[in-house]
Amino acid sequence: MDPLCYNYLEQHPELLQFVRMNPVWYRYLSRDPSLLPEMRKEAKHFYGKTFPQRIERVNNHLQMVRMLMQFAGAMKD
């Protein structure tokens, strides 16, 4: 692997872990280090850090809070 690419991965342990869990990216980056931005996008999707995934997570939390409030209201009656 290109030393600059590997140094970048060492500085970002989450991406290094992603490469270890998906060895096909090690091969892709060894052959073409310019694929690093694409690998970062895949890692964001894998770890759930894309904007739609974050919005979905917030919605799930809000639904849970609403449900708990309804349950507390039902118990009060």
Side-chain angles (χ1 to χ4, degrees):
M1 182 181 285
D2 183 42
L4 294 175
C5 187
Y6 189 73
N7 286 337
Y8 181 81
L9 290 175
E10 282 184 330
Q11 292 173 0
H12 298 89
E14 192 172 81
L15 293 178
L16 185 59
Q17 184 65 27
F18 175 75
V19 170
R20 287 180 178 157
M21 293 172 64
N22 300 289
V24 68
W25 278 104
Y26 183 80
R27 282 183 258 146
Y28 290 157
L29 293 174
S30 292
R31 293 177 186 151
D32 187 9
S34 67
L35 292 175
L36 191 61
E38 188 174 331
M39 190 266 310
R40 285 182 19 223
K41 287 180 189 176
E42 286 290 323
K44 278 187 178 183
H45 183 71
F46 178 79
Y47 287 117
K49 292 189 174 188
T50 62
F51 187 71
Q53 289 171 323
R54 288 182 178 186
I55 295 296
E56 184 178 349
R57 205 170 321 133
V58 168
N59 275 338
N60 288 341
H61 289 291
L62 287 174
Q63 276 183 330
M64 187 181 303
V65 168
R66 282 188 206 127
M67 190 172 56
L68 288 172
M69 289 177 67
Q70 288 175 352
F71 181 71
M75 294 299 286
K76 196 185 249 186
D77 293 335

